[in-house]
Amino acid sequence: MAERKLNITPVNDWGLFHLPPRPCVIAGPCSAETEEQMLETARGLRAFGINVFRAGIWKPRTHPGSFEGLGTAGLKLLKKVKEETGMHTCTEVAGAKHVYECLKYGVDLLWVGARTTANPFLMQEIADALQDTDIPVLVKNPVNPDIDLWIGALERLNRAGVTKLGVIHRGFSTSEPTLYRNDPGWRIAIELRTRYPEMPFFADPSHMAGDRKYIRELSQRAMDLGLEGLMIESHCSPSCALSDAKQQLTPAELKKLLEEEITVRDSQSDDASYKEGLNQLRAQIDVIDENLIGSFAARMKVSRDIGLYKREHNVAILQASRWDAILAKMKEEGRKYGLSDEFIVTVFNAIHEESVRSQNEILSDKA
Ligand code: PEP
Ligand code: MN
């Protein structure tokens, strides 16, 4: 399908963030819980210059019976935070009713959660409710790694006239065992970035990580990829949080993270901008290399399964004709991308050798 242009207002013109330098930061608790929790957290964040405060009001929880947010009462708390601290406020909307409520209570920025982005019916409903408003909206990636679903959600909002539009990358659900709560899947973020370089781009290392100990490395990665902003969960007393207790930082921890633990390389001079460009490209290479390792591992697993299968059926490991066919096909495939035959042969011979070695191990294993 032909790619549609999106009409985007630069984040500098949203009037919400202190700019520059990067990152634009949105911080605040996973959920609004009490007035004390909201005000204490907001004051702690405000004290070191954070001026966009987040708090979930309607919480999409996996199991019924978990804390599902304060609803409209939470909007009153957001309003109070705004009045008492002067911070801008933002919350998640998952339908038209949420949008109307937020507009009524003067929320400054909305975000669409990952479960909602995945649902075109709800996205259209939200887009319709936002017609003729000027409120900025950030759209999280859908829970599943489907870039078109993400783009479709952005198109719906943009068609409804939302131009203060940006994205939040929060990683993808996966059934694979991973270090993090959600698979970062940076490849998809890079692709979206490449297609829409003008789109304000945030990362949400909190929901990606699922554990506060990984927030630093994920924030650094987001900065190295050149993203504009970070949304990070912060709670005055994280261990007592009613949702996402493991992944929230205290305001003091967040201050340390931003001021001491992550390095944000910004382009001041030509030389610095060269370095920044290089860092972004290297960060992309790092992601691709990690993906390569994942693909090698997946291939080796299947190869071992074939070894077991052959053993069961008493068949020899090496089948030269099959290998010749693979190599010919890969050379042909490589040529389409300008990859030399020599390169393909070197890489695939190394892969083949390792496969044969591991299949031989299986065959010699009498167990
Ligand atoms: C949240 O930001 O609190 C949230 C529910 O996030 P996500 O939609 O990324 O799961
Ligand atoms: Mn959360």
Side-chain angles (χ1 to χ4, degrees), residues 145-191:
D146 181 339
I147 193 170
D148 286 311
L149 212 42
W150 200 358
I151 292 172
L154 294 164
E155 286 171 344
R156 286 177 199 279
L157 295 175
N158 206 225
R159 280 183 180 201
V162 179
T163 66
K164 292 178 183 162
L165 186 60
V167 293
I168 306 175
H169 182 50
R170 50 76 87 193
F172 303 98
S173 287
T174 171
S175 57
E176 300 294 315
T178 53
L179 197 56
Y180 308 124
R181 175 177 174 185
N182 287 297
D183 175 8
W186 291 110
R187 187 178 52 76
I188 293 181
I190 291 168
E191 193 177 332

Side-chain angles (χ1 to χ4, degrees), residues 262-329:
I262 60 170
T263 311
V264 183
R265 300 165 191 92
D266 263 324
S267 45
Q268 299 304 337
S269 70
D270 281 353
D271 194 30
S273 100
Y274 158 75
K275 283 188 192 146
E276 169 74 354
L278 190 63
N279 278 324
Q280 289 183 24
L281 291 169
R282 284 183 173 156
Q284 291 186 27
I285 286 276
D286 289 349
V287 171
I288 293 170
D289 286 349
E290 281 167 23
N291 288 340
L292 278 177
I293 296 289
S295 299
F296 287 149
R299 193 187 193 285
M300 287 305 295
K301 184 180 177 307
V302 177
S303 169
R304 276 194 293 277
D305 290 344
I306 292 177
L308 288 167
Y309 196 65
K310 284 179 180 166
R311 185 175 74 179
E312 244 172 61
H313 293 81
N314 217 13
V315 171
I317 293 298
L318 202 61
Q319 270 144 29
S321 60
R322 160 82 178 142
W323 180 245
D324 288 344
I326 293 184
L327 207 53
K329 186 160 174 287

Side-chain angles (χ1 to χ4, degrees), residues 30 59 207 233 244 247:
C30 179
K59 299 303 299 177
H207 288 91
E233 287 187 338
D244 288 348
Q247 72 192 30

